[in-house]
């Protein structure tokens, strides 16, 4: 054969190697979600790619057979076909003793470079850039190769499976999607600019809702304005004027003895129409849904959906009211507005290294505000005050403090055994190590 025929054979082998290289990378890198969308859009080739991904053993065996066979054959053909031409070219340029060795080296270098560059690197880069598009184009020829080489594939796969089982190495890929995978995709989207900051935060809030208790979004007991069945007409008007809420609890004496709730609009209409105002009137008083304080935000949303309500009282296991929550509170939790609102009111910066923090501030808010990854054993408390009390193992007093994550949480105000306010100070690296907690001297 002349030089042209030899080069034609070499480039044919390079083309075959290119096919197997692109197939290997594209089938491995093709994303199942993208292929699923392509299948739903009417591309039957995507279904075949998914089928090969579910049972990749035969596919990878054919790829390795093809790549290794072509590489060996290319080396043999290339060395035998190109070496004579290099010998003829070098005969008058180098000493005769070095002609054969140098010709072989040049032939080997040329063929290897062509295979690495054209048959390996370039096709793999293309397949990595657009794996789904390449995979659906090559799936037909690849399935034909699998069928053609079925006996050889079966023999090699049987040997490989036996060795893998002997070594107890798993051979099935785990394709389960975890929450960490979803977070990684969202973070990658945010870094790439596909998601803006607000969308990224909202999606994170959605996934965090299962771990955030309903108490983090509620109005705490101390902030509840309610009517008593014994309140006078003037007292009711004063409360509505001072705290213009849409709904008010009605209690028979103390807050924990709830009779229901009234709608401020209905009260206003009665006042305009000159009707008598009786808080115990069934036409005005509505039954109040009760939500356990153990629910998370997702469960609270489901509760509102089933109860067809947008307002509920949060109670603990002792039937004591710990707060009230509305559907707007839960929706704001998803949008992230509730965190901004509460942080502005409950966490006030004194300077760049210290903050005054309300004792009822939810732990989740403190984590966001101070960029703290986690609080220890956080299932045992819900607020910053609860964290300090849990770590001190006693009712805190003024100047008691707890150290955590490079911050000092110091009690600065106590109101009837309740931690009303704390001073949170960020410690710089020059400060001496402190114990985890230190109660004040008696």
């Amino acid at each position: 054969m002349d030089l042209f025929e030899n080069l034609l054979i070499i480039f044919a082998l390079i083309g075959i190697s290119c096919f197997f290289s692109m197939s290997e990378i594209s089938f491995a890198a093709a994303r199942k979600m993208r292929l699923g969308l392509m299948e739903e859009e009417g591309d039957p080739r995507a279904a075949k790619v998914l089928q090969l991904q579910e049972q990749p053993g035969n596919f990878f065996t054919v790829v390795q057979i093809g790549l290794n066979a072509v590489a060996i054959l290319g080396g043999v053909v290339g060395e035998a076909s190109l070496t004579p031409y290099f010998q003829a070219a070098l005969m008058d340029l180098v000493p005769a003793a070095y002609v054969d060795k140098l010709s072989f080296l040049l032939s080997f270098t040329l063929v290897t470079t062509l295979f690495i560059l054209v048959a390996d690197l370039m096709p793999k880069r293309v397949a990595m850039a657009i794996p789904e598009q390449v995979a659906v184009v090559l799936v037909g020829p690849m399935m034909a190769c699998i069928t053609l080489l079925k006996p050889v594939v079966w023999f090699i796969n049987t040997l490989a499976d036996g060795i893998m089982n002997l070594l107890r190495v798993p051979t099935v890929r785990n394709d389960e999607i975890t929450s960490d995978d979803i977070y990684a995709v969202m973070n990658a989207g945010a870094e790439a600019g596909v998601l803006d900051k607000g969308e990224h935060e909202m999606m994170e809030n959605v996934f965090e809702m299962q771990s955030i208790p309903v108490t983090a979004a509620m109005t705490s007991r101390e902030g509840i304005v309610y009517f008593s069945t014994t309140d006078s007409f003037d007292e009711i008007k004063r409360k509505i004027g001072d705290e213009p809420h849409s709904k008010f609890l009605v209690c028979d004496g103390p807050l924990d003895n709830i009779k229901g709730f009234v709608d401020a609009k209905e009260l206003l209409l009665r006042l305009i129409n000159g009707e008598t105002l009786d808080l115990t009137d069934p036409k005005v008083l509505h039954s109040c849904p009760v939500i356990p304080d153990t629910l998370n935000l997702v469960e609270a949303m489901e509760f509102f959906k089933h109860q067809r309500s947008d307002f509920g009282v949060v109670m603990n296991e002792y039937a004591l009211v710990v707060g009230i929550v509305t559907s707007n509170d839960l929706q704001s939790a998803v949008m992230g507005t509730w965190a901004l609102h509460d942080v502005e009111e409950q966490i006030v910066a004194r300077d760049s290294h210290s903050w005054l923090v309300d004792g009822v501030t939810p732990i989740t808010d403190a984590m966001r505000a101070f960029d703290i990854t986690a609080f220890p054993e956080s299932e045992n408390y819900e607020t910053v005050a609860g964290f300090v009390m849990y770590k001190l193992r006693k009712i805190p007093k003024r100047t008691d403090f707890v150290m955590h994550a490079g911050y000092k949480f110091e009690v600065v105000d106590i109101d009837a055994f309740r931690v009303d306010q704390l001073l949170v100070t960020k410690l710089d690296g020059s400060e001496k190590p402190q114990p985890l907690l230190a109660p004040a001297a008696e």
Side-chain angles (χ1 to χ4, degrees):
M1 292 188 293
D2 58 19
L3 178 61
F4 175 77
E5 292 175 339
N6 289 327
L7 291 177
L8 188 62
I9 293 174
I10 292 174
F11 281 109
L13 292 174
I14 289 175
I16 296 172
S17 181
C18 179
F19 163 74
F20 285 113
S21 295
M22 294 184 75
S23 299
E24 180 182 24
I25 295 299
S26 63
F27 280 77
R31 291 159 288 191
K32 287 192 173 183
M33 290 186 291
R34 186 67 60 84
L35 291 170
L37 292 175
M38 295 173 67
E39 182 182 7
E40 292 177 359
E41 292 173 357
D43 192 340
R45 299 174 298 175
K48 295 179 180 179
V49 177
L50 289 171
Q51 181 182 353
L52 286 181
Q53 285 185 334
E54 291 176 358
Q55 297 178 343
N58 293 342
F59 161 71
F60 282 114
T61 302
V62 169
V63 168
Q64 294 307 313
I65 291 174
L67 289 175
N68 286 281
V70 170
I72 294 171
L73 187 59
V76 172
V77 173
E79 189 275 331
S81 60
L82 298 180
T83 298
Y85 295 98
F86 282 113
Q87 288 175 338
L90 296 174
M91 188 64 67
D92 298 330
L93 301 177
V94 298
Y98 298 101
V99 170
D100 291 342
K101 295 180 180 180
L102 186 58
S103 299
F104 171 79
L105 181 62
L106 291 174
S107 176
F108 171 80
T109 302
L110 178 60
V111 173
T112 302
T113 301
L114 288 174
F115 269 88
I116 292 175
L117 181 63
V118 182
D120 197 41
L121 288 181
M122 292 175 61
K124 285 184 177 180
R125 288 187 178 184
V126 173
M128 183 63 71
I130 47 173
E132 294 82 16
Q133 292 87 334
V134 174
V136 296
V137 171
L138 300 181
V139 66
M142 179 53 64
M143 295 191 75
C145 291
I146 292 175
T147 303
L148 181 64
L149 299 173
K150 194 170 184 178
V152 180
V153 170
W154 175 84
F155 175 73
I156 295 177
N157 274 344
T158 301
L159 291 178
D161 290 341
I163 295 173
M164 298 294 281
N165 291 333
L166 183 64
L167 297 175
R168 296 182 180 181
V169 178
T171 58
V172 180
R173 185 174 66 176
N174 184 6
D175 289 322
E176 293 183 359
I177 298 178
T178 65
S179 58
D180 291 336
D181 297 328
I182 298 176
Y183 278 118
V185 171
M186 291 192 301
N187 292 333
E191 292 178 0
V194 178
L195 298 175
D196 61 31
K197 183 178 179 181
E199 292 172 334
H200 187 210
E201 290 180 353
M202 183 177 68
M203 295 178 69
E204 281 190 338
N205 289 337
V206 171
F207 285 103
E208 290 176 357
M209 288 180 69
Q210 290 187 341
S211 61
I212 298 177
V214 68
T215 52
M218 72 179 185
T219 300
S220 62
R221 180 186 180 98
E222 292 79 7
I224 297 177
V225 179
Y226 65 95
F227 297 151
S228 175
T229 54
T230 59
D231 281 348
S232 64
F233 180 75
D234 291 335
E235 182 67 14
I236 292 174
K237 288 198 300 181
R238 184 190 65 77
K239 290 181 179 181
I240 294 177
D242 293 341
E243 301 287 344
H245 300 301
S246 60
K247 294 179 176 64
F248 291 87
L249 291 179
V250 177
C251 306
D252 186 7
L255 176 59
D256 298 308
N257 192 8
I258 298 175
K259 295 301 182 182
F261 74 91
V262 293
D263 192 301
K265 291 182 179 179
E266 294 178 2
L267 296 182
L268 181 60
L269 289 175
R270 282 180 169 265
L271 292 174
I272 293 174
N273 295 329
E275 300 178 20
T276 58
L277 189 59
D278 183 5
L279 295 179
T280 61
D281 187 349
K283 295 181 180 180
V284 177
L285 187 64
H286 305 282
S287 61
C288 187
V290 177
I291 301 175
D293 65 346
T294 54
L295 299 188
N296 58 41
L297 297 185
V298 173
E299 294 169 333
M301 280 188 169
E302 288 295 321
F303 179 89
F304 280 141
K305 179 180 178 181
H306 294 150
Q307 294 291 326
R308 297 181 180 275
S309 175
D310 61 353
F311 176 83
V313 176
V314 182
M315 284 191 176
N316 62 16
E317 59 184 310
Y318 303 106
L320 299 177
V321 175
V322 295
I324 57 174
V325 67
T326 67
S327 58
N328 286 335
D329 295 330
L330 303 181
Q331 293 171 9
S332 296
V334 177
M335 301 303 294
T337 56
W338 68 276
L340 295 176
H341 174 73
D342 287 348
V343 166
E344 290 176 359
E345 292 186 352
Q346 297 178 339
I347 302 178
V348 180
R350 295 175 68 247
D351 52 46
S352 60
H353 290 83
S354 64
W355 299 261
L356 287 175
V357 180
D358 197 315
V360 296
T361 301
I363 284 295
T364 51
D365 284 4
M367 292 170 62
R368 291 173 183 268
F370 304 125
D371 194 23
I372 296 176
T373 304
F375 279 81
E377 302 173 84
S378 57
E379 69 277 3
N380 295 297
Y381 45 86
E382 298 171 354
T383 65
V384 176
F387 160 66
V388 173
M389 187 179 299
Y390 180 78
K391 298 305 294 184
L392 290 175
R393 299 294 183 179
K394 68 170 188 174
I395 301 298
K397 298 179 181 180
R398 289 185 60 187
T399 71
D400 284 354
F401 66 88
V402 172
M403 314 290 290
H404 176 63
Y407 290 89
K408 177 181 179 181
F409 296 78
E410 182 179 358
V411 178
V412 294
D413 190 18
I414 297 289
D415 183 12
F417 301 106
R418 182 176 67 88
V419 177
D420 188 49
Q421 204 168 51
L422 299 99
L423 177 63
V424 179
T425 307
K426 186 175 183 180
L427 307 176
D428 59 39
S430 62
E431 294 199 24
K432 294 182 179 180
Q434 299 282 348
L436 177 64
L437 55 87
E442 297 294 338

